[in-house]
Amino acid sequence: MDADVIVVGAGLAGLVATAELVEAGRRVVLVDQESAEHLGGQAWWSFGGIFLVDSPEQRRMGIHDSLDLAWQDWSGSAGFDRLEGPHAEDEWGSRWARAYVEWAAGEKRAWLHGKGIRFFPVVGWAERGDGTATGHGNSVPRFHITWGTGPGVVAPFEAVCRAAESEGRLTVLGRHKVTGLVTTDGAVSGVRGDRLAADGAGRAVASTRSVVGEFELSAGAVVVTSGGVGANLDLIREYWPDRLGAPPEDLVVGVPAFVDGSMLPISEAAGARVVNRDRMWHYTEGIANHSPVWPAHGIRILPGPSSLWLDADGHRLPAPCYPGFDTLGTLAHLRATGHDHSWFVLTQKVIEKEFALSGSEQNPDLTGKSVKQVLGRVRKGAPGPVQRFLDDGEDFVSAGTVPELVAAMNALVGQDRIDPARLQGMLEARDRELANPFGKDAQLAAIRAARAYRGDKLIRTAPPHAFLDPDNGPLIAVRLRTLTRKTLGGIQTDLDSRALDSDGSPVPGLYAAGEVAGFGGGGVHGYNSLEGTFLGGCLFSGRAAGRAAAGS
């Protein structure tokens, strides 16, 4: 055999599984279709959010969290409803969910801390939910930003792998695209595929698919950690669920081109079962990157709660479709309007306090671990990366008055869809609600409630203020489109990350982890994510796969 175990995919789940394997003394071959120089996959580009429960960071911020509350939120968000019958699609995803939440409330932080991973002291409140205690969303802030963002999460696992490579215990084969799994006597015993031409492309830049040869490798087991389908727009549209309306024609892409879902049919051909294909996670706050790295490169705005959200015709979105509350609920509402874009309307004061951008490259202060630069976020003015989008982003317009703003909005889309008088009246009505520290506008009530949390008041939620007051301006509008991101379904696995067949039996020699496995079990999130759970899902399922494969 060429190795004890072959790992297919050098993203975070693959690196974690590989690190577990080499630390257990196994000989490993790690193959990836991209360059061996650029390990970490999609995770390297992430903001580095990690879901933790009852952490020291939460307690220091005055947050009272618990396993029971976290499980209430997770199960209410997941909505597992495919539990009936033999080998139900949610059978293993629901088990993974309970195990993951227990890990997040227990060993997870200490395990990461032991690997040198640290967290920004202010815990973020992502995905605030649908407004019900038992429904979707986080009851409390749980989004822990890694000091170093995505590269900071990747680094300790890459370091283990690089050390093992230098010692001859690990072989890393970049530009090797797997096209098939080899089986021997009913067991997966290796991989075959194409050797791709080297082209010197930078990290995540779309690289050539030119084939210069073939390869075949043998091992005692194969671990598939190849990611989801977020850059494969054809697959996204094929499996787009009716409950979200018709798929958009105009999408921006939140992941590199190599996130193509190619290992799903290959794993199926070897006997693995793929479940919950219709569950996916796409953001409604996507904007075009002014400096794209991959095709149709989009960035997600991580919004505070204050921006007024309008559909393409200028109608205000209803509760709970507020910024940062209910991603898929808002997506379903917007798809019902029949248009592919919507708008944030806000002020300079809001953008300075509330706008953050997804991605390690959009947060150089956190990625570079610069305390001085991070402290600069509290100074007057928008953060540098946000200001760059204000200056150069194709989706941003600003003006001193509502008629001027609406003229720019309509010019951007090439249609007179927004009525300036209606928007003027909407903003006047909103601003009148500020005369008292209470009122009937549910979004303003949510803003006031958010500022009861110390972290939001410090750095994430602007004080309620009149949008039409020139002292708070200029007025800003941002065109938003759907941004592709995550696959919530995938290869069904048991709690040892063993791939299961249609009868619920393990496929001998085959394991799966990370997004290709729906982050565990074929769908650990159910229908909705609580955020900070994608990197965590790669960590948890990659660790399980590595340990189980090492023991096999």
Side-chain angles (χ1 to χ4, degrees):
M1 294 190 297
D2 296 294
D4 296 319
V5 180
I6 296 167
V7 178
V8 182
L12 180 59
L15 292 179
V16 173
T18 300
E20 291 287 339
L21 285 159
V22 297
E23 287 180 331
R26 302 295 179 261
R27 294 181 303 113
V28 182
V29 174
L30 174 61
V31 300
D32 195 277
Q33 59 183 320
E34 298 305 308
S35 170
E37 299 175 13
H38 303 143
L39 304 184
Q42 186 179 337
W44 192 93
W45 294 91
S46 74
F47 193 33
I50 298 287
F51 175 93
L52 294 172
V53 177
D54 192 26
S55 69
E57 289 79 13
Q58 287 176 297
R59 293 193 292 271
R60 282 193 288 268
M61 295 301 297
I63 300 164
H64 302 283
D65 201 3
S66 67
L67 172 60
D68 287 343
L69 183 60
W71 180 243
Q72 173 180 302
D73 289 346
W74 192 291
S75 56
S77 298
F80 294 117
D81 60 2
R82 298 170 181 174
L83 294 165
E84 301 298 323
H87 323 307
E89 290 192 62
D90 280 337
E91 176 184 354
W92 285 101
S94 59
R95 297 189 196 184
W96 272 91
R98 181 66 192 189
Y100 178 75
V101 175
E102 290 177 353
W103 187 58
E107 180 197 4
K108 182 180 180 182
R109 184 185 181 278
W111 184 69
L112 292 172
H113 200 270
K115 297 184 180 300
I117 291 175
R118 301 293 185 268
F119 300 104
F120 187 62
V122 178
V123 183
W125 197 350
E127 206 63 14
R128 299 171 193 234
D130 64 7
T132 64
T134 57
H136 169 56
N138 285 295
S139 297
V140 297
R142 297 190 178 103
F143 191 81
H144 295 67
I145 301 168
T146 302
W147 190 235
T149 67
V153 179
V154 168
F157 304 100
E158 180 176 2
V160 171
C161 293
R162 293 298 189 191
E165 184 183 23
S166 69
E167 296 164 3
R169 295 181 289 122
L170 169 65
T171 302
V172 181
L173 298 176
R175 308 299 292 157
H176 281 59
K177 180 176 176 60
V178 173
T179 60
L181 295 174
V182 178
T183 58
T184 304
D185 297 329
V188 174
S189 57
V191 300
R192 65 169 65 91
D194 297 327
R195 290 189 296 109
L196 304 179
D199 67 358
R203 184 185 288 272
V205 175
S207 57
T208 180
R209 302 290 98 176
S210 297
V211 176
V212 296
E214 298 178 344
F215 72 95
E216 184 167 323
L217 300 166
S218 62
V222 173
V223 180
V224 177
T225 56
S226 53
V229 304
N232 190 327
L233 302 188
D234 290 337
L235 276 182
I236 287 172
R237 292 188 175 108
E238 179 179 354
Y239 293 110
W240 187 277
D242 291 341
R243 63 182 175 275
L244 294 180
E249 290 297 321
D250 186 13
L251 290 163
V252 287
V253 179
V255 296
F258 57 72
V259 186
D260 58 10
S262 60
M263 284 303 298
L264 289 168
I266 291 169
S267 300
E268 281 186 293
R273 182 189 186 203
V274 177
V275 297
N276 299 314
R277 295 179 192 267
D278 63 318
R279 293 181 183 168
M280 50 187 73
W281 189 255
H282 306 303
Y283 292 110
T284 44
E285 312 98 336
I287 54 177
N289 193 345
H290 54 72
S291 304
V293 177
W294 54 79
H297 187 173
I299 297 294
R300 185 203 173 196
I301 295 171
L302 304 172
S306 298
S307 295
L308 202 67
W309 205 334
L310 310 179
D311 67 19
D313 290 319
H315 300 108
R316 188 177 180 184
L317 270 58
C321 299
Y322 303 140
F325 276 68
D326 184 356
T327 292
L328 293 191
T330 304
L331 178 58
H333 176 85
L334 289 172
R335 295 311 306 140
T337 69
H339 301 291
D340 287 354
H341 73 278
S342 63
W343 294 95
F344 278 166
V345 173
L346 58 147
T347 64
Q348 180 70 22
K349 187 172 287 188
V350 170
I351 207 168
E352 289 180 5
K353 183 93 169 186
E354 296 193 7
F355 265 39
L357 301 169
S358 64
S360 55
E361 83 285 9
Q362 299 296 333
N363 296 276
D365 50 355
L366 292 164
T367 302
K369 302 181 180 181
S370 171
V371 174
K372 181 179 180 181
Q373 290 182 26
V374 169
L375 291 174
R377 292 190 179 218
V378 301
R379 300 189 188 117
K380 186 173 176 57
V386 174
Q387 186 62 48
R388 177 74 190 281
F389 273 94
L390 272 168
D391 295 338
D392 300 329
E394 66 180 63
D395 298 305
F396 288 70
V397 296
S398 62
T401 67
V402 171
E404 292 170 326
L405 185 73
V406 169
M409 295 164 71
N410 287 335
L412 183 60
V413 299
Q415 293 178 307
D416 290 338
R417 306 204 68 91
I418 309 292
D419 178 1
R422 184 169 61 194
L423 180 56
Q424 180 82 31
M426 190 184 302
L427 292 175
E428 288 174 353
R430 175 204 175 275
D431 287 357
R432 288 189 195 104
E433 293 284 310
L434 296 170
N436 296 287
F438 45 82
K440 69 178 182 180
D441 188 289
Q443 184 174 5
L444 288 175
I447 293 166
R448 292 178 175 120
R451 285 178 57 80
Y453 165 50
R454 189 184 313 155
D456 272 359
K457 188 172 184 177
L458 282 171
I459 63 170
R460 281 295 282 157
T461 303
H465 59 276
F467 275 23
L468 292 177
D469 184 342
D471 290 342
N472 297 323
L475 291 166
I476 298 165
V478 187
R479 179 181 59 179
L480 308 172
R481 286 170 282 177
T482 302
L483 176 85
T484 68
R485 186 73 96 200
K486 294 296 181 184
T487 309
L488 300 188
I491 298 170
Q492 193 169 43
T493 59
D494 65 12
L495 291 176
D496 286 326
S497 291
R498 296 183 298 178
L500 304 177
D501 64 18
S502 59
D503 292 326
S505 300
V507 178
L510 184 61
Y511 299 79
E515 193 173 352
V516 75
F519 301 90
V524 68
H525 298 93
Y527 287 95
N528 287 286
S529 166
L530 289 176
E531 294 290 20
T533 58
F534 300 134
L535 294 180
C538 290
L539 294 165
F540 189 50
S541 62
R543 187 178 82 151
R547 291 180 177 182
S552 67

